[in-house]
Amino acid sequence: MLVALVGQPNSGKSALLGCLTGAKVFTSNYPGTTVEVTEGRVPGTGITVLDTPGIYSMRALSKEQQVTRKVILERRPRVIVNVVDGTSLRKQLPLTLSLKSLGIPIVLAVNQADRMKELGIHIDLDVLRKETGAEAVLTSAITGEGAETLLQAIEKAAASGAGEDGPSAPFSSHEPCRSFGPYDLRDLHEAASAIADRTVRLRGASGRRSPAEYLDRLLDRPAASWLVLGGLLWAVWRFSSWALPFAETSVRMILNPLRVHAESLLRAVLPRGPLAETLSEAVPEGFILPMATVLPAMILAYSLMAVLEDSGFLGRMAALSDVFTAALNLPGQSMIPLTLGFGCRVPALMAARILPGERSRRTASLIIATCVPCTATISLSLAALAKFRASFAVPGVLTAVSALTIGWAARLIPGGQKEPLVLELPPLRIPSLRNIAMKTQARLRGFFSHALPLLVVVNSAVRVFMSQGLPAGANVSRFSRVYLGIPPEALWSVLLTMFQRYLAPLFLMQQNLTPREAVIAVSMVALGFPCLPSAVVLWRENGARFVLLTFLTSLILFIGWGMVLNLILPS
Amino acid sequence: MRGTNVRGTNVRGKRAETTIASMPQGRRYIVESLRRPAGAGPASWDTTVSRLEELGVMPGETVEKVGTLSPAGPVVVRVLGSKVALSKDVADLVIVRPAPKC
């Protein structure tokens, strides 16, 4: 039996899926966490649960909301579990009422019972049942309260189910419609208001503000919120410039004996020759480099990302940066995918779905794919720059300028200005350490399970190539040296960004570069091609032509900046 | 304020209206109407109105300003119990009247 969890953004659908199925799901505290449909089975029953991106109404304005609409209309779940945040019932009810017109049995999961208790909110479920005509259950995904009762209610609703005829006339799955089906929006809101008045009671509120609530109020003041944002960035920068070199030295020190052993083992096993010599050095190095350089940076970046997501500060950041993102011709919401991009670009490109218009979505995707380097690329690029004693500032400034240029160019496309910022700010919460650890660990595992073998293989291949001499035509060699001021091997490594951007600095590190060459090459890498995984996502989200446009943009950017740097940098 | 002249009256000669952008902090107001901006294309304005409606910024609902994130920046209002950030140009277009005291 197919059951869909449907509800407004940030009402706790994903958490409830995790609670019902026992699956590990990523939950965050910002509207738009879930941008695609995920599925899970409830153990011991025949129930399959679909978790859907949050929707405010069946009109489905943004792309991730259209995903939900499509799934309801095309897969026709037997029962819809409408997950409502019990702490703001009044706001959630219009969706509930408009879902009723689908003709699919509905069960109301009044979620976040734990927070309701904290805030002293009491909901009269009997009245709610009578008013909405749907079974209502109090749930809390955090404590697990109500999960059993919810499953029983689902079974009961399915048995009584009139769900056979599917959605009724007013909805078609093809286009986002402008109406609420048979209801007038104002009527819906009036009805919601009336129901909320009769069901919600406030009593026994502690009246004491929690630390999170206090911070929440504080951040409404402009000075405080700018201070917190600035302080956070400063603290992260200070901490990382102290912790990362420290972590790198320690990891190398710990792993060095292993490396020596692995090297001598490989030397003994492999048949003698120059190839064996190269491999026995390259393979252990391919393991140690990501452990020492990438792992600490990733732990730091991913846990910071998790804190931003879970605390709800990401939404605040988005609203605050509306002033900055205006320079990119993007609404403040785009700060969410842009920030995620510094972790990994694949989820960031998916998160671009939450942007309000096609135009913003495409501009943001283009900027993420070309100008936002992921943590792995940043850490390895910095390592390469440090190795050749080259300037850190040049690549950084160039990426920023390139992003601004794309935003400026996007303004020239007819179709008007950027969409204005209209964004719901989630209440701040103290993030749970367990959730942060779980997220960081899962993302690290995701990276290292495919990146580590790749790094070892590429590192060895590069070593072998370097020892044999790379095939470079005279023309390529001339172009590279005369116009870009870098050796042809460095140009090859820049082109390697097509597979994975972080492989390129690794390749550069094996070469003998002057600081000037290193600056040019790393700058070109920073603006290199979108990596293969992100190209696939770009294709799926925006089509083949857009992928072509992205590749063309990055080609123009990195060749162009390479030439400019070659002209202006003193030799 | 855009659309008003020196005497504080707008083009149709009425008194200048209070908007979410100009309303004082900490008092409850009721949304009266959404004014269509002069230069906006119909498609993008419709989308903006729909998104405002989804969050409860629609005629008849109560709004309360809780803060302004920077002089030119977004305004944060509480509506239907949640906080919503609106950029200044949108906040300028939502006309409000004081809520009756009770």
Side-chain angles (χ1 to χ4, degrees):
Chain A
M1 176 169 64
L2 197 62
V3 173
L5 301 177
V6 178
Q8 292 199 353
N10 228 27
S11 57
K13 295 172 290 298
S14 301
L16 201 57
L17 176 81
C19 176
L20 287 176
T21 61
K24 273 192 180 176
V25 273
F26 281 0
T27 56
S28 293
N29 180 22
Y30 65 91
T33 306
T34 310
V35 291
E36 53 188 344
V37 177
T38 46
E39 237 179 273
R41 276 182 172 282
V42 183
T45 63
I47 298 179
T48 304
V49 186
L50 296 177
D51 179 25
T52 62
I55 55 173
Y56 286 107
S57 71
M58 281 299 280
R59 289 186 293 184
L61 295 169
S62 56
K63 202 178 172 193
E64 102 271 17
Q65 298 192 35
Q66 284 160 28
V67 171
T68 303
R69 195 189 147 78
K70 222 176 128 191
V71 119
I72 297 175
L73 296 177
E74 283 176 5
R75 293 190 63 179
R76 297 187 177 190
R78 274 283 287 282
V79 176
I80 288 180
V81 174
N82 178 206
V83 183
V84 297
D85 175 354
T87 64
S88 61
L89 189 68
R90 161 71 186 84
K91 178 166 163 285
Q92 319 257 331
L93 280 174
L95 175 65
T96 309
L97 297 174
S98 75
L99 284 173
K100 273 171 62 182
S101 67
L102 287 169
I104 300 173
I106 293 176
V107 175
L108 270 171
V110 181
N111 203 22
Q112 311 201 6
D114 49 316
R115 283 194 63 231
M116 286 166 62
K117 229 168 267 167
E118 241 170 69
L119 297 168
I121 296 170
H122 181 83
I123 291 178
D124 190 333
L125 291 180
D126 285 326
V127 178
L128 189 61
R129 278 182 203 120
K130 218 187 297 162
E131 295 285 345
T132 58
E135 184 57 41
V137 180
L138 202 62
T139 57
S140 163
I142 307 283
T143 62
E145 177 188 340
E148 272 309 308
T149 333
L150 180 61
L151 287 174
Q152 286 163 12
I154 292 171
E155 299 276 9
K156 218 174 105 194
S160 74
E164 314 302 321
D165 11 322
S168 52
F171 297 106
S172 87
S173 63
H174 300 299
E175 63 213 59
C177 63
R178 293 262 163 233
S179 75
F180 273 87
Y183 296 99
D184 175 63
L185 180 62
R186 226 181 268 212
D187 291 347
L188 276 182
H189 273 254
E190 257 163 40
S193 203
I195 296 174
D197 281 348
R198 258 169 280 164
T199 47
V200 184
R201 295 277 169 274
L202 274 170
R203 69 168 93 114
S206 58
R208 226 182 41 212
R209 273 188 213 162
S210 67
E213 267 175 278
Y214 188 73
L215 192 63
D216 201 295
R217 300 235 172 177
L218 188 72
L219 285 181
D220 290 333
R221 295 167 211 276
S225 51
W226 284 105
L227 269 178
V228 170
L229 182 62
L232 188 75
L233 292 177
W234 182 80
V236 168
W237 180 70
R238 288 301 302 172
F239 181 73
S240 58
S241 55
W242 165 79
L244 294 183
F246 173 75
E248 179 166 357
T249 354
S250 341
V251 172
R252 276 191 190 277
M253 219 161 70
I254 295 165
L255 292 182
N256 206 36
L258 269 177
R259 188 178 66 96
V260 175
H261 275 290
E263 260 190 56
S264 49
L265 184 73
L266 281 173
R267 279 217 175 84
V269 173
L270 292 173
R272 267 170 193 287
L275 187 70
E277 194 63 26
T278 316
L279 277 183
S280 52
E281 270 180 32
V283 171
E285 190 191 48
F287 272 110
I288 287 182
L289 196 67
M291 288 296 178
T293 313
V294 185
L295 184 67
M298 272 200 155
I299 293 178
L300 187 69
Y302 285 175
S303 40
L304 177 71
M305 218 67 91
V307 171
L308 289 181
E309 289 172 3
D310 286 14
S311 61
F313 196 65
L314 200 55
R316 294 285 175 156
M317 259 172 77
L320 275 175
S321 18
D322 193 46
V323 190
F324 299 128
T325 52
L328 299 171
N329 201 28
L330 288 172
Q333 290 97 308
S334 50
M335 207 55 194
I336 293 174
L338 285 175
T339 311
L340 296 178
F342 285 100
C344 173
R345 283 180 294 171
V346 172
L349 288 168
M350 299 285 296
R353 282 183 178 178
I354 65 169
L355 297 185
E358 193 63 10
R359 176 194 169 74
S360 302
R361 210 168 52 71
R362 289 183 166 237
T363 312
S365 302
L366 191 59
I367 290 176
I368 292 166
T370 54
C371 307
V372 178
C374 62
T375 310
T377 310
I378 296 175
S379 51
L380 285 169
S381 296
L382 290 180
L385 287 170
K387 188 185 170 200
F388 299 115
R389 300 178 191 289
S391 152
F392 288 13
V394 176
V397 171
L398 282 192
T399 13
V401 172
S402 307
L404 288 172
T405 313
I406 293 177
W408 172 79
R411 203 170 310 206
L412 301 180
I413 303 168
Q417 325 103 311
K418 71 175 180 83
E419 292 87 355
L421 174 89
V422 176
L423 181 69
E424 185 181 357
L425 300 177
L428 290 186
R429 277 170 219 166
I430 303 293
S432 93
L433 276 179
R434 207 176 132 258
N435 204 17
I436 290 172
M438 192 187 98
K439 266 187 185 174
T440 310
Q441 188 207 8
R443 287 174 180 169
L444 280 178
R445 194 184 302 148
F447 176 78
F448 277 89
S449 61
H450 67 250
L452 205 56
L454 190 66
L455 283 168
V456 173
V457 170
V458 171
N459 202 48
S460 314
V462 167
R463 277 291 186 109
V464 172
F465 271 125
M466 296 299 291
S467 63
Q468 321 245 305
L470 267 176
N475 284 332
V476 177
S477 184
R478 221 182 115 248
F479 173 79
S480 176
R481 286 209 188 272
V482 173
Y483 291 101
L484 303 170
I486 53 173
E489 294 85 19
L491 181 60
W492 283 126
S493 48
V494 171
L495 297 181
L496 207 63
T497 53
M498 210 180 310
F499 300 104
Q500 278 295 359
R501 203 176 278 192
Y502 55 76
L503 293 178
L506 195 73
F507 198 164
L508 289 174
M509 264 191 269
Q510 311 285 349
Q511 302 167 18
N512 265 324
L513 301 176
T514 64
R516 185 180 193 270
E517 288 168 344
V519 166
I520 299 178
V522 171
S523 302
M524 287 172 72
V525 167
L527 294 162
F529 290 124
C531 59
L532 205 57
S534 48
V536 172
V537 178
L538 278 175
W539 188 311
R540 222 176 44 205
E541 298 286 303
N542 303 295
R545 277 175 59 191
F546 191 77
V547 178
L548 215 67
L549 172 75
T550 317
F551 272 86
L552 203 67
T553 311
S554 46
L555 190 69
I556 293 171
L557 281 176
F558 73 73
I559 294 286
W561 282 125
M563 287 178 167
V564 170
L565 284 181
N566 186 35
L567 284 176
I568 61 172
L569 287 181
S571 42
Chain B
M1 198 195 301
R2 244 186 310 176
T4 55
N5 62 26
V6 272
R7 283 169 313 185
T9 57
N10 66 15
V11 269
R12 280 166 295 168
K14 285 190 213 149
R15 283 225 345 270
E17 294 131 326
T18 314
T19 63
I20 284 189
S22 67
M23 73 189 190
Q25 212 163 304
R27 265 183 65 190
R28 286 144 57 88
Y29 281 78
I30 290 173
V31 176
E32 203 156 72
S33 61
L34 301 169
R35 181 169 55 197
R36 188 193 195 89
S44 82
W45 176 239
D46 279 356
T47 317
T48 306
V49 170
S50 305
R51 288 175 49 233
L52 287 170
E53 286 173 351
E54 286 181 348
L55 294 170
V57 183
M58 56 181 289
E61 293 294 348
T62 310
V63 290
E64 185 190 333
K65 188 189 273 182
V66 292
T68 312
L69 293 178
S70 73
V75 178
V76 181
V77 292
R78 182 179 292 284
V79 54
L80 299 183
S82 328
K83 283 182 186 174
V84 175
L86 306 174
S87 62
K88 179 80 170 13
D89 42 346
V90 175
D92 269 333
L93 299 170
V94 185
I95 297 161
V96 295
R97 63 181 152 84
K101 290 202 178 94
C102 44

PDB file of all heavy atoms in Angstrom, chain A residues 23 42 59 118 150 166 194 222 229-230 241 243 263 265 297 300 335 338-339 373 376 378 450 514 520:
ATOM      1  N   ALA A  23      14.571   4.226   8.829  1.00  0.00           N
ATOM      2  CA  ALA A  23      15.668   4.538   7.916  1.00  0.00           C
ATOM      3  C   ALA A  23      16.390   5.780   8.408  1.00  0.00           C
ATOM      4  O   ALA A  23      15.823   6.607   9.112  1.00  0.00           O
ATOM      5  CB  ALA A  23      15.140   4.775   6.511  1.00  0.00           C
ATOM      6  N   VAL A  42       7.696   0.458   5.848  1.00  0.00           N
ATOM      7  CA  VAL A  42       7.499   0.301   7.280  1.00  0.00           C
ATOM      8  C   VAL A  42       7.683  -1.175   7.590  1.00  0.00           C
ATOM      9  O   VAL A  42       6.965  -2.015   7.057  1.00  0.00           O
ATOM     10  CB  VAL A  42       6.091   0.750   7.708  1.00  0.00           C
ATOM     11  CG1 VAL A  42       5.940   0.641   9.211  1.00  0.00           C
ATOM     12  CG2 VAL A  42       5.834   2.172   7.252  1.00  0.00           C
ATOM     13  N   ARG A  59      -0.927  24.535  -5.760  1.00  0.00           N
ATOM     14  CA  ARG A  59      -0.539  25.312  -6.928  1.00  0.00           C
ATOM     15  C   ARG A  59       0.899  25.044  -7.326  1.00  0.00           C
ATOM     16  O   ARG A  59       1.274  25.222  -8.469  1.00  0.00           O
ATOM     17  CB  ARG A  59      -0.708  26.803  -6.642  1.00  0.00           C
ATOM     18  CG  ARG A  59      -2.155  27.180  -6.561  1.00  0.00           C
ATOM     19  CD  ARG A  59      -2.285  28.659  -6.430  1.00  0.00           C
ATOM     20  NE  ARG A  59      -1.746  29.107  -5.140  1.00  0.00           N
ATOM     21  CZ  ARG A  59      -1.808  30.355  -4.735  1.00  0.00           C
ATOM     22  NH1 ARG A  59      -2.328  31.262  -5.496  1.00  0.00           N
ATOM     23  NH2 ARG A  59      -1.348  30.689  -3.567  1.00  0.00           N
ATOM     24  N   GLU A 118       6.214  21.955  24.972  1.00  0.00           N
ATOM     25  CA  GLU A 118       7.101  23.008  25.447  1.00  0.00           C
ATOM     26  C   GLU A 118       6.424  24.374  25.415  1.00  0.00           C
ATOM     27  O   GLU A 118       6.577  25.183  26.316  1.00  0.00           O
ATOM     28  CB  GLU A 118       8.325  23.071  24.530  1.00  0.00           C
ATOM     29  CG  GLU A 118       9.657  22.817  25.182  1.00  0.00           C
ATOM     30  CD  GLU A 118      10.718  22.664  24.107  1.00  0.00           C
ATOM     31  OE1 GLU A 118      11.016  23.667  23.449  1.00  0.00           O
ATOM     32  OE2 GLU A 118      11.215  21.534  23.921  1.00  0.00           O
ATOM     33  N   LEU A 150      -0.588   6.224  14.365  1.00  0.00           N
ATOM     34  CA  LEU A 150      -0.632   6.744  13.001  1.00  0.00           C
ATOM     35  C   LEU A 150      -0.783   5.598  12.005  1.00  0.00           C
ATOM     36  O   LEU A 150      -1.604   5.659  11.087  1.00  0.00           O
ATOM     37  CB  LEU A 150       0.638   7.548  12.710  1.00  0.00           C
ATOM     38  CG  LEU A 150       0.734   8.157  11.305  1.00  0.00           C
ATOM     39  CD1 LEU A 150      -0.411   9.129  11.058  1.00  0.00           C
ATOM     40  CD2 LEU A 150       2.066   8.860  11.097  1.00  0.00           C
ATOM     41  N   GLY A 166      -9.233   8.253  -7.774  1.00  0.00           N
ATOM     42  CA  GLY A 166      -8.132   9.164  -8.036  1.00  0.00           C
ATOM     43  C   GLY A 166      -8.557  10.612  -7.920  1.00  0.00           C
ATOM     44  O   GLY A 166      -9.675  10.904  -7.481  1.00  0.00           O
ATOM     45  N   ALA A 194     -11.318  29.552  11.417  1.00  0.00           N
ATOM     46  CA  ALA A 194     -12.417  29.113  12.272  1.00  0.00           C
ATOM     47  C   ALA A 194     -12.073  27.801  12.969  1.00  0.00           C
ATOM     48  O   ALA A 194     -12.315  27.627  14.173  1.00  0.00           O
ATOM     49  CB  ALA A 194     -13.685  28.954  11.437  1.00  0.00           C
ATOM     50  N   PRO A 222      18.975  44.106  13.342  1.00  0.00           N
ATOM     51  CA  PRO A 222      19.948  44.047  12.255  1.00  0.00           C
ATOM     52  C   PRO A 222      21.386  43.973  12.752  1.00  0.00           C
ATOM     53  O   PRO A 222      22.161  43.140  12.297  1.00  0.00           O
ATOM     54  CB  PRO A 222      19.696  45.335  11.474  1.00  0.00           C
ATOM     55  CG  PRO A 222      18.800  46.172  12.307  1.00  0.00           C
ATOM     56  CD  PRO A 222      18.103  45.273  13.253  1.00  0.00           C
ATOM     57  N   LEU A 229      26.616  36.827  12.093  1.00  0.00           N
ATOM     58  CA  LEU A 229      27.064  36.278  10.807  1.00  0.00           C
ATOM     59  C   LEU A 229      28.554  36.541  10.607  1.00  0.00           C
ATOM     60  O   LEU A 229      29.333  35.633  10.287  1.00  0.00           O
ATOM     61  CB  LEU A 229      26.257  36.892   9.657  1.00  0.00           C
ATOM     62  CG  LEU A 229      26.587  36.367   8.260  1.00  0.00           C
ATOM     63  CD1 LEU A 229      26.283  34.889   8.162  1.00  0.00           C
ATOM     64  CD2 LEU A 229      25.811  37.125   7.195  1.00  0.00           C
ATOM     65  N   GLY A 230      28.968  37.800  10.836  1.00  0.00           N
ATOM     66  CA  GLY A 230      30.376  38.156  10.685  1.00  0.00           C
ATOM     67  C   GLY A 230      31.246  37.386  11.661  1.00  0.00           C
ATOM     68  O   GLY A 230      32.285  36.837  11.289  1.00  0.00           O
ATOM     69  N   SER A 241      42.287  28.111  10.044  1.00  0.00           N
ATOM     70  CA  SER A 241      43.678  28.391   9.727  1.00  0.00           C
ATOM     71  C   SER A 241      44.604  27.878  10.839  1.00  0.00           C
ATOM     72  O   SER A 241      45.789  27.692  10.618  1.00  0.00           O
ATOM     73  CB  SER A 241      43.908  29.878   9.458  1.00  0.00           C
ATOM     74  OG  SER A 241      43.457  30.639  10.538  1.00  0.00           O
ATOM     75  N   ALA A 243      43.483  24.981  12.838  1.00  0.00           N
ATOM     76  CA  ALA A 243      43.241  23.547  13.005  1.00  0.00           C
ATOM     77  C   ALA A 243      43.678  22.724  11.801  1.00  0.00           C
ATOM     78  O   ALA A 243      44.174  21.617  11.958  1.00  0.00           O
ATOM     79  CB  ALA A 243      41.756  23.298  13.287  1.00  0.00           C
ATOM     80  N   GLU A 263      55.102   1.171   1.108  1.00  0.00           N
ATOM     81  CA  GLU A 263      56.058   1.366   0.022  1.00  0.00           C
ATOM     82  C   GLU A 263      56.988   0.172  -0.120  1.00  0.00           C
ATOM     83  O   GLU A 263      57.170  -0.368  -1.215  1.00  0.00           O
ATOM     84  CB  GLU A 263      56.892   2.626   0.283  1.00  0.00           C
ATOM     85  CG  GLU A 263      56.400   3.827  -0.503  1.00  0.00           C
ATOM     86  CD  GLU A 263      57.387   4.980  -0.422  1.00  0.00           C
ATOM     87  OE1 GLU A 263      58.564   4.784  -0.772  1.00  0.00           O
ATOM     88  OE2 GLU A 263      56.955   6.057   0.012  1.00  0.00           O
ATOM     89  N   LEU A 265      56.530  -2.800   0.981  1.00  0.00           N
ATOM     90  CA  LEU A 265      55.767  -3.994   0.610  1.00  0.00           C
ATOM     91  C   LEU A 265      55.551  -4.017  -0.896  1.00  0.00           C
ATOM     92  O   LEU A 265      55.794  -5.033  -1.558  1.00  0.00           O
ATOM     93  CB  LEU A 265      54.420  -3.986   1.334  1.00  0.00           C
ATOM     94  CG  LEU A 265      53.559  -5.225   1.101  1.00  0.00           C
ATOM     95  CD1 LEU A 265      54.135  -6.416   1.855  1.00  0.00           C
ATOM     96  CD2 LEU A 265      52.117  -4.988   1.518  1.00  0.00           C
ATOM     97  N   ALA A 297      39.580  19.130   6.374  1.00  0.00           N
ATOM     98  CA  ALA A 297      38.797  20.242   5.824  1.00  0.00           C
ATOM     99  C   ALA A 297      37.338  19.833   5.639  1.00  0.00           C
ATOM    100  O   ALA A 297      36.423  20.616   5.903  1.00  0.00           O
ATOM    101  CB  ALA A 297      39.390  20.680   4.490  1.00  0.00           C
ATOM    102  N   LEU A 300      35.442  19.625   8.950  1.00  0.00           N
ATOM    103  CA  LEU A 300      35.122  20.976   9.397  1.00  0.00           C
ATOM    104  C   LEU A 300      33.963  21.560   8.569  1.00  0.00           C
ATOM    105  O   LEU A 300      32.966  22.043   9.121  1.00  0.00           O
ATOM    106  CB  LEU A 300      36.365  21.856   9.266  1.00  0.00           C
ATOM    107  CG  LEU A 300      36.241  23.258   9.840  1.00  0.00           C
ATOM    108  CD1 LEU A 300      36.149  23.181  11.351  1.00  0.00           C
ATOM    109  CD2 LEU A 300      37.426  24.115   9.431  1.00  0.00           C
ATOM    110  N   MET A 335      21.175  31.967  -1.468  1.00  0.00           N
ATOM    111  CA  MET A 335      22.279  31.735  -0.542  1.00  0.00           C
ATOM    112  C   MET A 335      22.262  30.296  -0.046  1.00  0.00           C
ATOM    113  O   MET A 335      23.307  29.741   0.270  1.00  0.00           O
ATOM    114  CB  MET A 335      22.136  32.696   0.644  1.00  0.00           C
ATOM    115  CG  MET A 335      23.418  33.052   1.312  1.00  0.00           C
ATOM    116  SD  MET A 335      24.597  33.729   0.148  1.00  0.00           S
ATOM    117  CE  MET A 335      26.057  33.616   1.134  1.00  0.00           C
ATOM    118  N   LEU A 338      23.878  28.146  -2.791  1.00  0.00           N
ATOM    119  CA  LEU A 338      25.263  28.605  -2.959  1.00  0.00           C
ATOM    120  C   LEU A 338      26.138  28.154  -1.793  1.00  0.00           C
ATOM    121  O   LEU A 338      27.258  27.693  -1.984  1.00  0.00           O
ATOM    122  CB  LEU A 338      25.315  30.134  -3.085  1.00  0.00           C
ATOM    123  CG  LEU A 338      24.852  30.728  -4.414  1.00  0.00           C
ATOM    124  CD1 LEU A 338      24.844  32.249  -4.352  1.00  0.00           C
ATOM    125  CD2 LEU A 338      25.727  30.271  -5.562  1.00  0.00           C
ATOM    126  N   THR A 339      25.609  28.275  -0.563  1.00  0.00           N
ATOM    127  CA  THR A 339      26.391  27.850   0.599  1.00  0.00           C
ATOM    128  C   THR A 339      26.624  26.345   0.566  1.00  0.00           C
ATOM    129  O   THR A 339      27.722  25.869   0.830  1.00  0.00           O
ATOM    130  CB  THR A 339      25.658  28.222   1.906  1.00  0.00           C
ATOM    131  OG1 THR A 339      25.269  29.584   1.820  1.00  0.00           O
ATOM    132  CG2 THR A 339      26.534  28.027   3.110  1.00  0.00           C
ATOM    133  N   PRO A 373      33.735  26.348  -5.794  1.00  0.00           N
ATOM    134  CA  PRO A 373      34.520  25.132  -5.634  1.00  0.00           C
ATOM    135  C   PRO A 373      34.096  24.375  -4.375  1.00  0.00           C
ATOM    136  O   PRO A 373      33.761  24.996  -3.366  1.00  0.00           O
ATOM    137  CB  PRO A 373      35.949  25.666  -5.484  1.00  0.00           C
ATOM    138  CG  PRO A 373      35.807  27.058  -4.991  1.00  0.00           C
ATOM    139  CD  PRO A 373      34.443  27.554  -5.330  1.00  0.00           C
ATOM    140  N   ALA A 376      36.652  19.713  -1.229  1.00  0.00           N
ATOM    141  CA  ALA A 376      37.788  18.911  -1.669  1.00  0.00           C
ATOM    142  C   ALA A 376      38.663  19.726  -2.606  1.00  0.00           C
ATOM    143  O   ALA A 376      39.897  19.732  -2.483  1.00  0.00           O
ATOM    144  CB  ALA A 376      37.298  17.651  -2.364  1.00  0.00           C
ATOM    145  N   ILE A 378      38.827  23.053  -2.813  1.00  0.00           N
ATOM    146  CA  ILE A 378      39.461  24.164  -2.085  1.00  0.00           C
ATOM    147  C   ILE A 378      40.672  23.663  -1.332  1.00  0.00           C
ATOM    148  O   ILE A 378      41.764  24.220  -1.440  1.00  0.00           O
ATOM    149  CB  ILE A 378      38.466  24.824  -1.103  1.00  0.00           C
ATOM    150  CG1 ILE A 378      37.308  25.452  -1.868  1.00  0.00           C
ATOM    151  CG2 ILE A 378      39.162  25.886  -0.267  1.00  0.00           C
ATOM    152  CD1 ILE A 378      36.228  26.012  -0.966  1.00  0.00           C
ATOM    153  N   HIS A 450      33.855   6.825  -2.984  1.00  0.00           N
ATOM    154  CA  HIS A 450      34.177   6.860  -4.400  1.00  0.00           C
ATOM    155  C   HIS A 450      35.431   7.673  -4.709  1.00  0.00           C
ATOM    156  O   HIS A 450      36.084   7.460  -5.701  1.00  0.00           O
ATOM    157  CB  HIS A 450      32.993   7.302  -5.252  1.00  0.00           C
ATOM    158  CG  HIS A 450      32.578   8.724  -5.048  1.00  0.00           C
ATOM    159  ND1 HIS A 450      31.414   9.075  -4.432  1.00  0.00           N
ATOM    160  CD2 HIS A 450      33.192   9.878  -5.367  1.00  0.00           C
ATOM    161  CE1 HIS A 450      31.325  10.372  -4.374  1.00  0.00           C
ATOM    162  NE2 HIS A 450      32.390  10.893  -4.944  1.00  0.00           N
ATOM    163  N   THR A 514      56.623  27.211 -11.213  1.00  0.00           N
ATOM    164  CA  THR A 514      57.020  28.432 -10.521  1.00  0.00           C
ATOM    165  C   THR A 514      55.774  28.993  -9.844  1.00  0.00           C
ATOM    166  O   THR A 514      54.660  28.632 -10.216  1.00  0.00           O
ATOM    167  CB  THR A 514      57.548  29.473 -11.522  1.00  0.00           C
ATOM    168  OG1 THR A 514      56.465  29.825 -12.388  1.00  0.00           O
ATOM    169  CG2 THR A 514      58.698  28.932 -12.349  1.00  0.00           C
ATOM    170  N   ILE A 520      48.447  30.861 -11.995  1.00  0.00           N
ATOM    171  CA  ILE A 520      47.636  30.809 -13.210  1.00  0.00           C
ATOM    172  C   ILE A 520      46.901  29.472 -13.294  1.00  0.00           C
ATOM    173  O   ILE A 520      45.693  29.421 -13.510  1.00  0.00           O
ATOM    174  CB  ILE A 520      48.519  31.034 -14.466  1.00  0.00           C
ATOM    175  CG1 ILE A 520      49.165  32.416 -14.397  1.00  0.00           C
ATOM    176  CG2 ILE A 520      47.677  30.895 -15.725  1.00  0.00           C
ATOM    177  CD1 ILE A 520      50.096  32.712 -15.561  1.00  0.00           C
TER     178      ILE A 520
END
